Amino acid sequence: MSKDLTIGEALRQRGVSRRGFLKFCAATASMMALPPGMAPVIAAALEKARRPSVIWLSFQECTGCTESLTRSHSPTVEGLIFDTISLDYHHTLQAAAGDAAEAARVAAMEENYGNYILVVDGSIPTGNPGFSTIAGISNLDMLRETAAGAAAIVSVGTCAAYGGIPHANPNPTGAASVSDLVSDKPIINVPGCPPIPVVITGVLAHYLTFGTIPELDDLGRPRAHYGQSIHDRCYRRPFYDKGLFAETFDDEGAKKGWCLYKLGCKGPTTYNACATTKWNEGTSFPIESGHPCLGCSEPDFWDGGGFYKALSTPTADITRTAVYAVGAGAAAGIALGAMNRTKQKRMAKEHEKVTIDDLEKGD
Amino acid sequence: MDEIAHTATCASPGEVVTGNVMPILHQVRHALHDLLETGKSEVIDLRSIPMGPGEEGRLAEALGKGEVEVRMSALGPSEIIETRYPGVWLVTHFNNDNEIIGKFIEICAIPGLVMAQDEDIRAGLVQLNEQLT
Ligand code: SF4
């Protein structure tokens, strides 16, 4: 696809009708968390927008973020947005490697200097540069060199945004986030482990459509997608408010779909779009599948003290019953904590119910 | 309204109710009133509203089915169904893998996407001209 085509022209060339294009714009408005009335504005802007050049660098990461975005090969809306950018360098996806690939990166940088979007996934080791290199170039050098000519940087995933898992205690590689190392460019953080694909493309779509970066919160995340906590938009919230909590993964409360707070849900302190945008084309999200939120879009989520440990006592206006229930839960926790390993093994053998405290004190 | 209130709030045991179905129905009622008074149409993006398992189904049930159903095939299928309330449409867009990419309630005489678009009419005319010469 030629770089000189506008996005409207590029889509038409692929045989997409005007009707299809308008449908694409309606889905894009929804993806950008904009009111549906914005669809005609998006259509008018995308019709004229040129395809931006994108350079994608992957550092200390697991490729989950790229997987999240490219998992689907069919023309999804995410796929189309992805196709309408000119992805000039992505060493995981491109066939070229080593010097040839680096030559492509340098060429793309020169051709679009000052105008390309730099997408980064993975954290950057600041200890021994040998911890992670590409074609013999340290991650830090490659980031600095490529960031210099970028119009804006998108840090995709919690590793690039906040250091993520490589940054977890004791952080053996001295992993740092992009914003720890680059301070003279606009940086958009799109955290999540991985981030929701439509959120990644929603940010690219925003740049394509408006030529600006979206409004960000104090952690550098787009407010449109990270403006509300999981807890504020959670469909289990009425149970939290009534003080009805699942105590184990298989008790009556769990079966009735009660709140997962006591099973360690980090929804109240986690800002992301999972509760409304959901995953797998809107099928569900972890809490809907019965598992508490891990808080993966927040800095240092890996060092939060345990995925199955409840946050402090719920503070919202809950009923007396709830307070009693929390009290009883805490007492039970202490008692179970004292339980020895032999008893845990015996329980497992006899298929007794395993509580969350057992999981935490598992070994 | 009694029957609607019943369908909209009653869940089978084990299902979770966020209580978001009733407010949506009220929003639709206001929008329908506006449409009649001022001709202003409205779109509600259902993806921006938290829904528990089964709730979307209950909303669809509360809205029911009316006289018109449109199946569209543009960038994957779309389903445009008039509800039992004329002027209220349930619009679902799918991609080519039949995965939902957008779900809206539109309050208007007819959703704009159903109408043939000028660009497509023009392209069609070119094709017909070629066929006839
Ligand atoms: S604590 Fe978790 S499961 Fe409970 S309402 Fe909040 S986000 Fe939902």
Side-chain angles (χ1 to χ4, degrees), chain A residues 56-289:
Chain A
W56 185 307
L57 301 178
S58 301
F59 298 136
Q60 292 191 127
E61 46 83 42
C62 68
T63 312
C65 295
T66 298
E67 271 303 313
S68 172
L69 186 57
T70 56
R71 177 199 46 76
S72 170
H73 296 285
S74 64
T76 57
V77 171
E78 300 96 279
L80 275 171
I81 279 283
F82 204 56
D83 285 349
T84 52
I85 62 176
S86 167
L87 189 59
D88 292 324
Y89 177 92
H90 188 309
H91 69 236
T92 314
L93 298 180
Q94 68 197 9
D99 289 345
E102 290 323 299
R105 179 175 62 91
V106 171
M109 280 172 59
E110 277 169 8
E111 199 180 321
N112 304 292
Y113 206 82
N115 298 315
Y116 57 85
I117 301 175
L118 171 60
V119 179
V120 179
D121 67 333
S123 64
I124 301 96
T126 56
N128 183 340
F131 283 136
S132 178
T133 63
I134 296 158
I137 306 168
S138 78
N139 288 174
L140 187 56
D141 285 348
M142 190 177 278
L143 174 68
R144 291 223 166 105
E145 191 183 306
T146 320
I153 303 175
V154 185
S155 295
V156 166
T158 304
C159 295
Y162 310 127
I165 297 172
H167 180 268
N169 196 18
N171 189 3
T173 64
S177 70
V178 174
S179 55
D180 288 336
L181 303 167
V182 178
S183 53
D184 57 348
K185 294 283 167 183
I187 298 175
I188 307 160
N189 287 332
V190 185
C193 194
I196 304 175
V198 295
V199 175
I200 307 176
T201 40
V203 169
L204 294 176
H206 186 105
Y207 190 82
L208 282 174
T209 311
F210 302 111
T212 57
I213 66 167
E215 194 197 339
L216 306 176
D217 70 5
D218 54 355
L219 287 170
R221 305 175 287 200
R223 270 189 208 284
H225 298 102
Y226 297 87
Q228 277 163 319
S229 70
I230 300 291
H231 186 62
D232 283 344
R233 309 294 275 169
C234 178
Y235 75 93
R236 294 193 191 225
R237 180 64 182 267
F239 295 115
Y240 175 95
D241 292 338
K242 287 195 199 106
L244 296 171
F245 302 103
E247 303 280 342
T248 68
F249 282 105
D250 54 358
D251 67 1
E252 270 316 295
K255 284 178 192 145
K256 287 187 176 136
W258 290 357
C259 170
L260 302 171
Y261 184 87
K262 288 171 139 195
L263 294 173
C265 186
K266 305 293 182 284
T269 53
T270 304
Y271 290 77
N272 205 342
C274 306
T276 45
T277 303
K278 303 191 177 179
W279 285 82
N280 302 318
E281 280 68 43
T283 305
S284 66
F285 69 116
I287 290 169
E288 197 167 340
S289 309

Side-chain angles (χ1 to χ4, degrees), chain A residues 242-243 245 262 313-314 316 318-329:
Chain A
K242 287 195 199 106
F245 302 103
K262 288 171 139 195
T313 310
I318 52 171
T319 60
R320 271 174 82 88
T321 347
V323 176
Y324 288 143
V326 169

